């Protein structure tokens, strides 16, 4: 089974939960949710805090 990028897994989980997540720039290391801009780590912590991904 191919390895999946954990950040893209978190994005997919948040989107499946109804959260609109948009990439910022071309590097895919910043994400926009509403008025907030999050780093990869912050996005992961958000998804984990809601039980959408395993820590």
């Amino acid at each position: 089974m191919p390895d999946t990028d954990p950040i893209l897994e978190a994005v997919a989980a948040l989107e499946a939960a109804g959260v609109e997540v948009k990439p910022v720039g071309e590097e895919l290391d910043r994400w926009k949710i509403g008025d907030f801009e999050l780093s990869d780590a912050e996005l992961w912590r958000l998804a984990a805090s809601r039980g959408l991904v395993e820590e």
Side-chain angles (χ1 to χ4, degrees):
M1 178 196 281
D3 290 332
T4 59
D5 184 334
I7 298 306
L8 295 181
E9 177 185 341
V11 169
L14 286 164
E15 288 176 336
V19 178
E20 186 176 348
V21 181
K22 296 180 182 178
V24 176
E26 295 179 13
E27 299 298 318
L28 295 180
D29 62 348
R30 304 290 302 168
W31 305 91
K32 188 165 181 91
I33 296 177
D35 292 334
F36 299 99
E37 191 171 309
L38 308 171
S39 68
D40 282 349
E42 292 166 328
L43 184 86
W44 179 262
R45 283 193 298 271
L46 177 65
S49 73
R50 284 157 176 67
L52 300 173
V53 294
E54 292 185 25
E55 293 188 55

